[in-house]
Amino acid sequence: IRDDLRPNTRRTVRQLSDAGIRVVMMTGDSRETAAAIAREAGIIRCTDDLLLTSEEIGRMTDDEIRLVLPRLCVIARAMPQDKSRLVRIAQNTGLVVGMTGDGVNDAPALRCADVGFALGGGTEVAQEAGDIVILDDNLSSIAKAVLYGRTIFKSIRKFIMFQMTTNLSAVGISLLCPLFGIDAPITVLQMLWVNLIMDSLGSLAFAGEAPSADTMREKPKLIGEAIMSPYMVRRIAWMGAYLLSLCLWFVHSEGMREHFGYYENPIHFLGAFFALFIFADIANSVSARTTHVN
């Protein structure tokens, strides 16, 4: 007599593990039953993985649990206080803790966790204590939540890189172009067009970015990690300097001035300059989408 695992459980556990998320099973079943289910689900995969019972946890101090936490995979015969205690110890260690459960005895741990995933088929007490309700009672929905959460965070960073690079180059152009005899290389109306059309459509494009499977193979973000990473700062600086240098070369180039008839009628030259800036901005938006060759 047994409860079969859902078909995608083992794949979901592996997906979460690859994403740097450690899956720990807390169950009221016996040690033998818990070990068999954990091995079948892929939670226990090697001899170093640790299985403890509630009685063994009760004899250990918080510091002792903190030492074995990286190897802990299963707690059998778990009591409600064991769940809350493990969540608290993991948080004190600096980890972000997600807890899932469906019963009244899971409510304290769901409330204490950084993110509480209550099951839709569970008790109302658990659903009230949790932050998110999983309507289909499926572990894969938690993996999808992680995927979309990471995708949204990356999309925000992409747009910041795109927007800051554009602003850095635009401010540099407005400050330096008068040195080359062009007082208003980008007019107020053109700048307004850039902000309303380019930036608005760009933000919508980044917001609708499709999730990538590579996202679930990245390391989790640290608690309190700034949204502006050192890599973003370097990339904004280099790309902004590159776009600014390209535009200043165009303004200073005698060949470009003669080709577009700057001395006869500057409007054609300034129109070509604005087109260059816009196409460079489009290239910048494509570049901001990824950190590798796309």
Side-chain angles (χ1 to χ4, degrees):
I1 300 174
R2 56 175 292 153
D3 272 337
D4 288 329
L5 293 176
R6 290 177 182 264
N8 58 355
T9 298
R10 188 176 182 88
R11 178 174 58 83
T12 303
V13 170
R14 184 173 62 253
Q15 185 182 22
L16 291 172
S17 298
D18 292 342
I21 300 171
R22 186 163 191 86
V23 180
V24 179
M25 184 177 74
M26 294 182 284
T27 176
D29 289 330
S30 65
R31 174 189 286 270
E32 293 77 12
T33 303
I37 295 173
R39 289 191 181 94
E40 186 178 356
I43 297 175
I44 294 179
R45 293 189 289 183
C46 62
T47 55
D48 288 338
D49 292 335
L50 188 62
L51 186 152
L52 297 174
T53 64
S54 176
E55 184 179 352
E56 292 169 335
I57 288 285
R59 293 197 298 264
M60 299 172 67
T61 65
D62 289 357
D63 290 335
E64 290 173 335
I65 295 176
R66 191 175 292 111
L67 291 176
V68 301
L69 198 58
R71 298 190 296 118
L72 183 61
C73 290
V74 180
I75 298 179
R77 295 296 187 194
M79 302 296 289
Q81 60 268 25
D82 297 328
K83 302 175 183 180
S84 300
R85 184 187 180 195
L86 189 65
V87 168
R88 176 176 52 81
I89 293 173
Q91 289 174 325
N92 292 338
T93 309
L95 301 176
V96 178
V97 182
M99 169 70 188
T100 180
D102 60 353
V104 175
N105 59 346
D106 296 320
L110 287 169
R111 177 68 68 183
C112 293
D114 294 291
V115 183
F117 294 96
L119 301 183
T123 62
E124 290 189 14
V125 175
Q127 294 180 19
E128 288 293 331
D131 302 296
I132 299 173
V133 178
I134 305 299
L135 297 179
D136 59 359
D137 295 357
N138 200 325
L139 183 64
S140 64
S141 295
I142 297 178
K144 291 177 183 177
V146 173
L147 173 62
Y148 280 99
R150 290 185 175 188
T151 299
I152 291 171
F153 186 76
K154 290 182 69 175
S155 296
I156 293 173
R157 281 186 160 180
K158 291 175 185 178
F159 178 71
I160 289 175
M161 286 195 296
F162 162 65
Q163 183 69 76
M164 292 297 291
T165 302
T166 302
N167 291 346
L168 180 62
S169 57
V171 170
I173 289 169
S174 299
L175 291 176
L176 297 178
C177 277
L179 300 178
F180 299 98
I182 301 177
D183 294 331
I186 301 178
T187 65
V188 174
L189 186 60
Q190 287 173 333
M191 188 60 71
L192 183 63
W193 190 91
V194 169
N195 289 330
L196 291 179
I197 305 300
M198 293 291 296
D199 297 344
S200 298
L201 294 180
S203 63
L204 291 174
F206 284 119
E209 193 78 87
S212 171
D214 294 339
T215 303
M216 290 298 283
R217 290 190 286 269
E218 298 175 358
K219 294 181 179 180
K221 302 293 182 292
L222 299 175
I223 297 178
E225 180 175 337
I227 194 169
M228 284 285 289
S229 66
Y231 166 78
M232 292 173 63
V233 174
R234 292 194 301 270
R235 182 159 181 163
I236 290 169
W238 280 107
M239 284 299 296
Y242 175 76
L243 295 181
L244 177 59
S245 301
L246 181 65
C247 291
L248 292 179
W249 167 82
F250 185 91
V251 169
H252 185 65
S253 173
E254 284 294 331
M256 290 298 172
R257 291 192 178 198
E258 293 177 1
H259 180 74
F260 289 104
Y262 173 75
Y263 299 105
E264 291 78 18
N265 187 358
I267 193 66
H268 299 140
F269 177 79
L270 294 176
F273 173 78
F274 183 66
L276 170 68
F277 180 78
I278 291 300
F279 280 109
D281 202 25
I282 293 174
N284 172 47
S285 68
V286 175
S287 173
R289 292 186 61 209
T290 178
T291 57
H292 51 81
V293 176
N294 190 333

